[in-house]
Amino acid sequence: MKILSDERTKSVFEKLAKFIGGNIKLLIDRPDGKYCFREHKDRVYYMSQAILDLALSCNKEQLICAGTCFGKFTKTNKFRLHITALNYLAPYAQYKIWLKPSAEQQFLYGHHVLKSGMGRITENTPKNQGVVIFSMNDMPLGFGTSAKATADCKHADPIAIVCFNQGDIGEYIRNEDTLI
Amino acid sequence: MDILEDILQKEAKKSEKYKTTDVEKNVELELDLGNLLALDTNDLNLQELKSHKEKYLLNLARDNTQLLLNKLWDLPSERREDIVVAKLPAGTLRLPREKPCPKPKPLTKWQEYALEKGIKKKKKTNAVWDDIVQKWIPRFGYKKAELERQKDWVLEVPGNADPMEDQFAKKAEKKKEKVSKNEFQRLRNIAKAKKIKVPKEGLPSVANPSSDLLNTAAKVARVSTASLGKFQPKLPKEKTLKENVIAPKRVKRDHSKISSIDEKSSHLKIIDSILGKKPKLDIEKAVNRQVFQEQHE
């Protein structure tokens, strides 16, 4: 359990800001307790003070994970967000895409979102913006990057990619080993 | 008449099974009873030696042993646990040396100095009375170390010292330095005794150095600058390893508490800087809005 260095904290926050914008402050400044980000073996975890105390009482080599894993740092020190962070991204998401029931399956298998599968999209979504993807029942399915702005989406072909899949809850089954 | 009887007795004895205990020799044997040694300097009978060698030598040995044992019976005897034991005198034979005589060792620096000043070694007692614990504690060793650790459960911070300094670590560091200094001086004494020349600084030169030795030498040379090798230009094929620089000691940070003020504020600052990077005028957004408006017109 290490405190993140300044550069690493910056890269984590930048990534999170892409999806939840200014709401990151709500993650740090919570009224119901002290929460923090900690790093262990290049993975970033988000946990409360209580969990942190427990984690610090463990042997470093034997600790697997503590709190919620938000993502990990690659060998070249780039931060990659994992699907396990979805629970914290979804409520604070600024830009959302809703999928039609027919397209849900395809998305959960790891494919990108096509225009034909897209139900709704928030207004004024710029291009290359981090979006969180929901089903029609407002259940978070994953997150990704918008390939087109909202306006462009309306003119697009039905088979054009509208959003790139960067994480979906199907990964819990597909990439079981690599999530932790 | 008596002489006749004596001769007859002797003849009778000779014909007995066992040989006589009287043995006649031209030259008396040299007996070293302490070492159970009998030295016979009589000439050998060459005729008998050639004809019946084994038999002659056996008889000779038997006679000599008989003489030795005769003398042994004459020694004062004791009785120990139902056994009669003869008390042997000290041996007189002096065995020659197996190894050459040891050469006198050259005196160490301290010994020379002590000799010069006339300092004699004071005999010290094994145990020392300790008033605090009210016990006899050995002068050195694990028991003393244990006691010292107990007595030094708290160390005062001296007036002129930095309050954040770790006094225990300082003490341990001092001890380590002392031990290593002692070791260095011991090795230096050995080198002086063996007449091996050791340079005052740096590594000693070797005829055929291995690659490990050369790497160590390069490392030592690199670090032997005022800035401890930090600004030393790299050699063409030198590997820059972390060990090449003597890094300053890292202060261990306490990660257990989420320091509410420092961490949170720094995080918020970072967030502000990130969010503040976005231009006030988002061109993309403006363009999209324009397009959207046009579509709805």
Side-chain angles (χ1 to χ4, degrees), chain B residues 147-160:
Chain B
L147 180 74
E148 291 296 313
R149 239 177 288 146
Q150 282 177 4
K151 287 210 285 189
D152 286 341
W153 62 275
V154 63
L155 280 176
E156 282 174 23
V157 176
N160 54 350

Side-chain angles (χ1 to χ4, degrees), chain A residues 18-155:
Chain A
K18 274 196 191 158
F19 290 89
I20 56 182
N23 292 334
I24 301 177
K25 291 190 186 172
L26 293 169
L27 275 182
I28 305 226
D29 226 338
R30 276 169 80 138
D32 62 336
K34 286 189 194 162
Y35 281 75
C36 70
F37 287 95
R38 287 287 183 273
E39 189 191 333
H40 177 65
K41 285 194 183 170
D42 280 335
R43 282 177 191 266
V44 176
Y45 296 96
Y46 180 68
M47 62 192 88
S48 59
Q49 173 74 64
I51 307 262
L52 177 67
D53 287 334
L54 289 173
L56 286 170
S57 65
C58 289
N59 188 359
K60 254 197 303 184
E61 280 93 55
Q62 292 169 337
L63 183 71
I64 298 178
C65 77
T68 322
C69 175
F70 261 43
K72 75 173 201 188
F73 283 99
T74 62
K75 287 281 187 319
T76 52
N77 281 340
K78 294 200 178 70
F79 182 66
R80 183 164 287 273
L81 209 59
H82 281 185
I83 189 62
T84 40
L86 189 64
N87 278 338
Y88 292 97
L89 294 179
Y92 302 119
Q94 289 184 326
Y95 299 103
K96 305 176 187 181
I97 288 183
W98 285 262
L99 287 187
K100 290 181 189 163
S102 51
E104 275 172 30
Q105 191 76 339
Q106 280 297 299
F107 180 71
L108 292 180
Y109 272 124
H111 299 300
H112 303 301
V113 180
L114 306 177
K115 163 87 191 302
S116 52
M118 187 178 77
R120 270 168 41 205
I121 185 167
T122 41
E123 285 296 340
N124 299 322
T125 315
K127 197 175 164 186
N128 300 328
Q129 172 67 34
V131 289
V132 179
I133 289 137
F134 293 82
S135 70
M136 276 323 204
N137 328 350
D138 272 330
M139 194 175 78
L141 295 175
F143 56 85
T145 313
S146 65
K148 295 184 194 306
T150 316
D152 297 334
C153 285
K154 296 195 198 313
H155 301 303

Side-chain angles (χ1 to χ4, degrees), chain B residues 66 68 133:
Chain B
Q66 184 64 65
L68 178 64
V133 200

Side-chain angles (χ1 to χ4, degrees), chain B residues 35 41 80 100 120 153 171 221 296:
Chain B
N35 284 322
T41 42
R80 282 196 199 180
K120 294 260 190 291
W153 62 275
K171 193 165 171 226
H296 281 254

